[in-house]
Amino acid sequence: MPDVAPPRRRSTPSTATRRSTAPTTARRRAAVPQVLVRQVRNGIVESEHRGHIVEVDTDGRIRHVLGDPDRVVTLRSTVKPFGAVALVEAGGMDAWDITSAELAIMTSSHSGEDLHVRTIQAIYRRAGVSQSLLACGTEGMPLDPLTAARLARDGERPSPIRHMCSGQHSVFILLSRLKGWPLETYWQDDHPAQAAYRAAVARAFGTDATRLVTAIDGCGIATYAFPLREVARAYALLAEPTAISTRDPRSSLVPAITRIRDAMLAHPELVAGTRERLDTSVMKALPGRIISKGGMEALRGLAILPGTRANGRGGSSGMALKIEDGDGYERATWAATVEALAQVGVLHGQPLRVLARYHRPPSLDPHGRLVAESVADFDLAPVGELIG
């Protein structure tokens, strides 16, 4: 396992960090982000959702952009495929015969359905750990409304294993079990499992763990801040790990990242859920050709595999999308994601038709009548500039 560093203090970024990001912040304040999606009711625009989209190749060259590619975001759940590298490289897959389905759920923001619960429980039984160790909480869970209704009907309170981040937390618990580290405190900043996860994330983003800017995620562990273009670059790595140069320090991640990518591609229902989850629906519409991974506050990372576009060309890439207002109803991220993929030639024909309900999310009245729609309205510009 690589050397790991202590956590960075969670506060205002250092003076050096502030100095390096100040010009970007000034530019962002000077230009209002473009409207990506409008909520339209009988021809009347009721609300607008502004945001940013950037697509890059494996080397970080921008291919398409709208808005500010340097908009700093917290990764939230988009970090999960990269943090799972820590367990894979530590030998956890072989230690407990972890399957590709079980690896996929460790990258997930799952819906808390029985399928997800059973998958995690199976790992815990083989590893000899208790699900009571999970410290992710239960607030607002499970995400799946049918599962939540059934639990309420039966008078059953959801346990932390139904939390969308229980798969991610399992990475820390299993690392701790494997290494003989304390189990109950796995979520604390100074725990060695957190340090190992942090080091894996830093490597995937081509930086050092000591330079990471962190905050606290909703499930109680660290999240990390990066510009959107760096999120897209990491997802380009996920799309085609072997495409990066052997001189790139990230090349050491190739075996683990490839294994994680293939697990996610094989099990889209475990990456999100079986009902009304855009990530799963996009991946099922383009089987084996794309990974979609959302994070809270309307962030999404997309790994586009080579040969996916309408003309069969273009190679692999990564895309990152951010809706400025956080998109509490998800309608803007749904519409903007599908439209962006259509504009870069990834979604077309039958797959695009299959995703129609996400492309123009409808609002219905109690009688089932269509009363409003979310309509994506933007042009994703192609560019050829290098990332500096």
Side-chain angles (χ1 to χ4, degrees):
M1 186 176 65
D3 293 338
V4 293
R8 184 184 177 93
R9 179 170 55 91
R10 287 184 181 140
S11 60
T12 304
S14 66
T15 302
T17 303
R18 287 198 301 271
R19 188 179 302 119
S20 66
T21 60
T24 297
T25 303
R27 286 197 306 273
R28 191 163 59 248
R29 286 174 178 166
V32 176
Q34 182 169 324
V35 173
L36 300 185
V37 178
R38 292 179 170 88
Q39 180 73 356
V40 181
R41 186 179 302 265
N42 193 28
I44 301 166
V45 176
E46 291 190 308
S47 57
E48 297 176 327
H49 301 276
R50 300 176 183 272
H52 315 268
I53 306 171
V54 59
E55 182 193 15
V56 308
D57 66 16
T58 307
D59 294 325
R61 290 184 291 264
I62 293 180
R63 299 179 60 164
H64 293 87
V65 67
L66 180 65
D68 184 4
D70 293 312
R71 167 67 156 90
V72 175
V73 297
T74 50
L75 296 180
R76 308 299 293 271
S77 288
T78 63
V79 76
K80 292 174 180 177
F82 309 105
V85 165
L87 182 63
V88 174
E89 289 189 337
M93 300 291 291
D94 294 330
W96 297 296
D97 296 323
I98 292 174
T99 67
S100 64
E102 292 163 348
L103 178 58
I105 206 162
M106 289 186 236
T107 71
S108 75
S109 298
H110 64 75
S111 294
E113 300 168 59
D114 292 349
L115 167 67
H116 306 120
V117 170
R118 289 194 301 267
T119 302
I120 297 171
Q121 287 174 333
I123 311 171
Y124 281 24
R125 283 194 297 271
R126 295 198 303 278
V129 295
S130 170
Q131 68 186 56
S132 65
L133 290 165
L134 284 165
C136 48
T138 61
E139 182 69 25
M141 301 297 153
L143 294 179
D144 179 56
L146 294 182
T147 302
R150 191 195 78 222
L151 294 177
R153 180 199 66 201
D154 295 342
E156 180 182 345
R157 296 182 60 185
S159 66
I161 201 168
R162 292 196 185 271
H163 192 285
M164 64 179 177
C165 295
S166 62
Q168 179 189 28
H169 280 240
S170 296
V171 173
F172 303 110
I173 291 172
L174 294 171
L175 265 174
S176 300
R177 178 77 171 87
L178 184 66
K179 297 291 187 179
W181 298 330
L183 293 170
E184 292 79 6
T185 56
Y186 77 82
W187 56 273
Q188 295 180 359
D189 273 352
D190 57 357
H191 194 281
Q194 292 291 327
Y197 198 95
R198 185 164 54 247
V201 172
R203 289 167 59 210
F205 281 80
T207 188
D208 184 86
T210 61
R211 300 182 64 187
L212 292 173
V213 177
T214 66
I216 303 175
D217 209 335
C219 61
I221 58 174
T223 187
Y224 310 92
F226 286 97
L228 272 180
R229 68 170 74 197
E230 293 300 326
V231 181
R233 181 170 175 255
Y235 272 81
L237 168 66
L238 182 63
E240 187 64 8
T242 58
I244 68 172
S245 167
T246 55
R247 297 186 298 274
D248 190 321
R250 297 177 299 157
S251 62
S252 64
L253 296 165
V254 167
I257 286 287
T258 301
R259 198 167 186 177
I260 290 164
R261 178 200 66 183
D262 292 348
M264 297 177 75
L265 289 171
H267 304 282
E269 294 91 349
L270 294 174
V271 173
T274 65
R275 290 180 284 266
E276 293 302 314
R277 297 296 304 277
L278 177 62
D279 290 334
T280 294
S281 296
V282 167
M283 294 169 68
K284 291 182 74 173
L286 294 168
R289 292 182 284 168
I290 191 167
I291 289 173
S292 177
K293 185 71 198 72
M296 293 296 288
E297 298 303 321
L299 177 67
R300 175 160 278 104
L302 297 146
I304 302 167
L305 275 67
T308 301
R309 295 165 214 272
N311 58 12
R313 301 176 183 175
S316 59
S317 67
M319 182 181 288
L321 180 149
K322 168 68 178 177
I323 301 296
E324 279 290 320
D325 60 22
D327 192 24
Y329 293 100
E330 292 192 301
R331 63 197 184 198
T333 48
W334 286 2
T337 297
V338 176
E339 177 65 17
L341 291 173
Q343 289 194 25
V344 301
V346 172
L347 276 174
H348 49 88
Q350 182 62 17
L352 182 57
R353 289 190 289 272
V354 165
L355 295 169
R357 70 186 187 279
Y358 298 107
H359 197 187
R360 292 174 73 104
S363 297
L364 306 178
D365 74 0
H367 310 289
R369 294 179 297 182
L370 177 66
V371 295
E373 285 183 302
S374 298
V375 181
D377 183 16
F378 59 85
D379 292 314
L380 192 52
V383 295
E385 63 188 23
L386 288 175
I387 290 182

